[in-house]
Amino acid sequence: MNIKYLITITLVCVPIVTLFSQEKKTYKINTVAFYNLENLFDTEDDPITFDDDRTPKGKDHWTEDIYKDKLKKMSKVISEIGQDVTKNAPAIIGVAEIENRKVLEDLANQSTLLPKDYGIVHYDSPDRRGIDVALLYQKSLFRPINTSIHELLIYDNKDATKRVYTRDQLLVSGYLDGDLIHIIVNHWPSRSGGEARSRHKREKAAELNKKIIDSLFDIDPYAKIVTMGDLNDDPDNSSVKKVLAAKGDKKDVTQKELYNPMYSMSKKGIGSLAWRDSWNLFDQIIVSKGLLDKDYSSYKYYKAGVYNKNYLANARGRYKGYPYRSFANGAYTGGYSDHFPVYIYLIKEQ
């Protein structure tokens, strides 16, 4: 079936669209998204983590008013991802750079998100800065049945005994409108110290991610898997292309393999963040073969995108067009995040 375009016709608990090809068919459609929230911290001092800067008396002067404004802006963006097509916020959204469960609860209770009744899956990671990954899901659309955290053990390349404490990888398995789907949320180690020097850390993260995915394939070779996150690498870097073996062409993907729809976007110069006058597509959503075939009796991948609306970008100046970050030059800017969100649509014949 050659799907050409879609028109939204109505909205119920699961959004409905009509897709036109050779014949008119009706499909359910849902958005699955990922968003790096750029250091969403509360104002309280956590004695265990290095969050002193993000307190009212810290050097960032992170006050309650700033925190509330940050929450309002993050909730606005999340509520609008995919909304133009589905008339709904994402059914499932992975997030990164959040401090704890409290900030997720505060986020889900914002006026723009409260009607969506988001559930939360969150575990504390050993990251020294105290930032974690998590999953938000609309309870009316997605039902988790199993959640687990997977520890990433990596060590400094100068001192093999010195552990680098970073984010765990979160696996959530559950039913999206009756279909079993596995979601992995990632935030791989940064490029601090340089891309080449830190490369082994992200390759280790990719090895862990592949281990999780292979364990799911061992149970079901046709498993529907979505792995998403801020990978701190582009689709053609070794961690994603070689270790994870995510392919950029659907035709090349066979059973128990992965397709990366962000590969072609990256080749076109599309990015989710900018640095030193160049774009990177570190934020990626990658899907398994089980989401690629043309039998739409169950949910399948339809298309992917970067949510880069004008208001999320700097309107002027040296960084015009870059993501309008919320913190720069030692002060709160009133912006959103230094990353654009990314998303995919999943569709299922009604």
Side-chain angles (χ1 to χ4, degrees):
M1 179 170 57
N2 181 25
I3 300 172
K4 294 183 178 178
Y5 58 91
L6 55 102
I7 299 175
T8 304
I9 57 172
T10 188
L11 173 68
V12 291
C13 184
V14 178
I16 308 294
V17 297
T18 299
L19 302 179
F20 290 88
S21 55
Q22 294 178 347
E23 58 181 302
K24 187 174 181 179
K25 291 182 180 290
T26 304
Y27 292 81
K28 298 178 179 181
I29 183 166
N30 277 296
T31 306
V32 177
F34 173 81
Y35 196 12
N36 181 319
L37 302 182
E38 193 199 354
N39 294 315
L40 180 58
F41 279 69
D42 61 26
T43 61
E44 298 174 13
D45 185 11
D46 187 332
I48 298 176
T49 60
F50 292 89
D51 72 338
D52 295 21
D53 292 345
R54 285 288 164 112
T55 58
K57 294 183 179 179
K59 74 178 183 66
D60 292 345
H61 304 290
W62 197 251
T63 64
E64 192 68 21
D65 286 343
I66 289 175
Y67 174 57
K68 288 179 178 178
D69 190 61
K70 172 79 170 177
L71 287 170
K72 182 179 178 180
K73 286 184 164 64
M74 294 294 89
S75 65
K76 169 184 167 62
V77 180
I78 291 172
S79 71
E80 294 178 356
I81 300 171
Q83 215 273 343
D84 54 340
V85 170
T86 68
K87 306 304 178 191
N88 195 11
I92 298 168
I93 180 165
V95 293
E97 292 199 12
I98 52 95
E99 184 182 14
N100 49 39
R101 185 180 180 91
K102 177 185 181 297
V103 301
L104 294 169
E105 292 172 349
D106 290 345
L107 180 64
N109 283 320
Q110 294 295 298
S111 60
T112 50
L113 296 183
L114 188 59
K116 304 301 179 183
D117 192 23
Y118 276 105
I120 297 169
V121 181
H122 167 261
Y123 294 84
D124 284 316
S125 284
D127 181 88
R128 292 188 73 206
R129 284 201 296 140
I131 56 173
D132 307 327
V133 298
L135 191 80
L136 302 176
Y137 61 92
Q138 290 192 42
K139 296 175 185 176
S140 63
L141 299 175
F142 182 73
R143 179 172 62 87
I145 58 170
N146 188 56
T147 68
S148 57
I149 203 74
H150 299 262
E151 189 175 38
L152 177 58
L153 292 171
I154 53 175
Y155 297 86
D156 188 273
N157 58 359
K158 287 187 175 180
D159 182 356
T161 64
K162 183 180 179 182
R163 183 178 169 189
V164 178
Y165 289 94
T166 185
R167 282 74 59 180
D168 297 332
Q169 296 180 14
L170 172 64
L171 170 62
V172 180
S173 300
Y175 287 96
L176 177 64
D177 187 30
D179 286 14
L180 180 60
I181 293 180
H182 309 278
I183 310 288
I184 309 169
V185 188
N186 303 267
H187 185 188
W188 292 0
S190 76
R191 294 187 169 194
S192 177
E195 186 278 326
R197 182 180 174 188
S198 60
R199 185 182 303 151
H200 73 286
K201 299 175 185 178
R202 291 181 298 282
E203 290 178 344
K204 281 290 186 182
E207 288 175 8
L208 174 61
N209 202 236
K210 192 171 190 309
K211 181 179 179 181
I212 298 168
I213 290 168
D214 287 345
S215 70
L216 295 170
F217 281 142
D218 287 341
I219 299 170
D220 178 10
Y222 304 95
K224 295 179 177 180
I225 303 169
V226 178
T227 185
M228 62 168 76
D230 175 0
L231 308 185
N232 274 303
D233 266 339
D234 286 311
D236 61 352
N237 285 125
S238 59
S239 61
V240 183
K241 189 175 181 180
K242 294 182 179 179
V243 180
L244 196 57
K247 297 181 176 179
D249 192 329
K250 281 191 283 188
K251 298 192 298 292
D252 296 333
V253 181
T254 60
Q255 191 175 4
K256 299 170 72 172
E257 290 186 335
L258 302 172
Y259 168 60
N260 189 353
M262 272 59 186
Y263 185 87
S264 60
M265 295 183 206
S266 180
K267 289 298 182 185
K268 294 175 183 176
I270 298 171
S272 58
L273 72 158
W275 172 251
R276 293 182 177 175
D277 299 324
S278 65
W279 283 92
N280 294 101
L281 191 44
F282 288 173
D283 304 273
Q284 299 170 51
I285 302 180
I286 299 167
V287 301
S288 67
K289 173 67 173 175
L291 284 163
L292 294 182
D293 66 53
K294 299 298 183 180
D295 176 10
Y296 292 97
S297 61
S298 62
Y299 277 106
K300 297 297 189 299
Y301 165 83
Y302 174 52
K303 65 186 299 186
V306 176
Y307 190 75
N308 52 5
K309 298 296 184 182
N310 288 339
Y311 76 88
L312 291 175
N314 285 302
R316 60 186 67 85
R318 177 184 174 186
Y319 301 109
K320 182 178 179 180
Y322 285 26
Y324 181 19
R325 60 187 308 161
S326 63
F327 202 87
N329 300 318
Y332 184 65
T333 66
Y336 295 84
S337 172
D338 54 350
H339 292 243
F340 292 139
V342 292
Y343 63 90
I344 62 171
Y345 294 126
L346 298 179
I347 62 172
K348 176 180 179 178
E349 191 170 346
Q350 171 72 10

